[in-house]
Amino acid sequence: MADLPIHTIVFEILTRVQAKDVGRSKSVCKQWYALLSTQDFVRIHCSRSLVSSNQRVLLIDDLTCSVRPIISKSNDYGPSSIVTFPFHHQNNDVSILSHLNGLLCVCLNHTYELLLWNPTTTAFKRLSTPDSHGFYINNLDAVGLYVDADDDYKVLHIKRRSGVLGVYVYSREVDSWRNIPFITRQEYLSPHFNWSAGTFCGGTVYFTVCECWLGGTKRVICFYVNSEQFKDISFPPVPSIGMVQGHWHV
């Protein structure tokens, strides 16, 4: 090992170990810390982690948070391990809004704050700011977590406040929020429309937007992450009666 180049150790060996071990490896030296924090390392590590043996289920109840591995061969679960919340919370307080490559976007219900949280490494980042960015209101807001062409993890936050719709993007690399234009039908601003959580697939974040009554309008809002443009497309044909739910499956 002593004769191996640092680049080989980091990108050929450490990209294949568990995220918790990557976190420990960052304390070896400053050079390792810098390399393990690059977007290239994160991208390669995530791609190599997407195998069935690494799949886990995160369970949150009123008092505890635990993780159980999925045993694909037996269609069963392995023993659970307790995850300690690294941030202050109250009972039944943490809502998971979006997830991507093991990273969660969550809301603390008692403060309305948005957080990015990695349950494996326990690292987290508060997204709230003094100028009121990063606060989420249930049934009015929608959130989508995605990664752009530069491998920068971002949060798309759609906010409805008093008949005004604002769209904001948080960049993990830059660590700041900015507003982007949203041009679509004005009625989507109404609280009579429900927005789903965003689903990221193929460079696009998808939302379903549905009116709250039977037979109401149903549409799909697409956000193209690299151009930061929105598109409004039709919902798949559905029966004219009864309740219909739409969910993006990737």
Side-chain angles (χ1 to χ4, degrees), residues 22-85:
V22 172
R24 296 192 185 103
S25 299
K26 286 185 176 182
S27 62
V28 171
C29 64
K30 291 182 179 180
Q31 186 179 14
W32 278 38
Y33 182 89
L35 287 172
L36 295 173
S37 301
T38 62
Q39 294 296 332
D40 284 343
F41 177 86
V42 173
R43 174 177 53 80
I44 297 172
H45 185 269
C46 286
S47 66
R48 290 177 172 169
S49 299
L50 296 177
V51 295
S52 58
S53 60
N54 287 332
Q55 304 308 303
R56 289 168 170 77
V57 175
L58 179 71
L59 304 172
I60 299 177
D61 59 24
D62 289 347
L63 300 175
T64 62
C65 176
S66 62
V67 173
R68 300 192 67 173
I70 300 174
I71 305 174
S72 56
K73 291 183 179 180
S74 60
N75 295 321
D76 201 354
Y77 299 96
S80 64
S81 57
I82 299 299
V83 176
T84 302
F85 287 106

Side-chain angles (χ1 to χ4, degrees), residues 138-209:
N138 193 30
N139 296 323
L140 288 179
D141 295 3
V143 163
L145 184 60
Y146 66 94
V147 60
D148 65 12
D150 297 320
D151 293 322
D152 182 15
Y153 282 76
K154 294 182 175 180
V155 177
L156 178 66
H157 185 191
I158 297 173
K159 301 168 61 174
R160 289 181 292 176
R161 302 288 187 275
S162 302
V164 177
L165 187 146
V167 180
Y168 303 89
V169 171
Y170 172 83
S171 165
R172 192 175 70 163
E173 184 175 353
V174 181
D175 189 24
S176 65
W177 289 93
R178 59 185 175 85
N179 176 248
I180 62 173
F182 178 77
I183 303 174
T184 187
R185 297 165 59 179
Q186 283 295 114
E187 54 262 44
Y188 295 162
L189 307 180
S190 166
H192 298 302
F193 279 85
N194 284 332
W195 286 68
S196 72
T199 299
F200 177 59
C201 178
T204 305
V205 182
Y206 297 93
F207 299 88
T208 56
V209 181

Side-chain angles (χ1 to χ4, degrees), residues 95-167:
S95 295
I96 299 175
L97 305 178
S98 187
H99 62 89
L100 182 65
N101 297 335
L103 189 65
L104 306 181
C105 183
V106 303
C107 175
L108 299 183
N109 297 323
H110 75 289
T111 63
Y112 308 105
E113 289 180 278
L114 289 175
L115 283 77
L116 286 178
W117 174 36
N118 187 327
T120 302
T121 65
T122 71
F124 74 97
K125 171 68 178 178
R126 295 183 186 273
L127 306 186
S128 57
T129 65
D131 54 353
S132 299
H133 289 309
F135 291 92
Y136 178 91
I137 297 182
N138 193 30
N139 296 323
L140 288 179
D141 295 3
V143 163
L145 184 60
Y146 66 94
V147 60
D148 65 12
D150 297 320
D151 293 322
D152 182 15
Y153 282 76
K154 294 182 175 180
V155 177
L156 178 66
H157 185 191
I158 297 173
K159 301 168 61 174
R160 289 181 292 176
R161 302 288 187 275
S162 302
V164 177
L165 187 146
V167 180

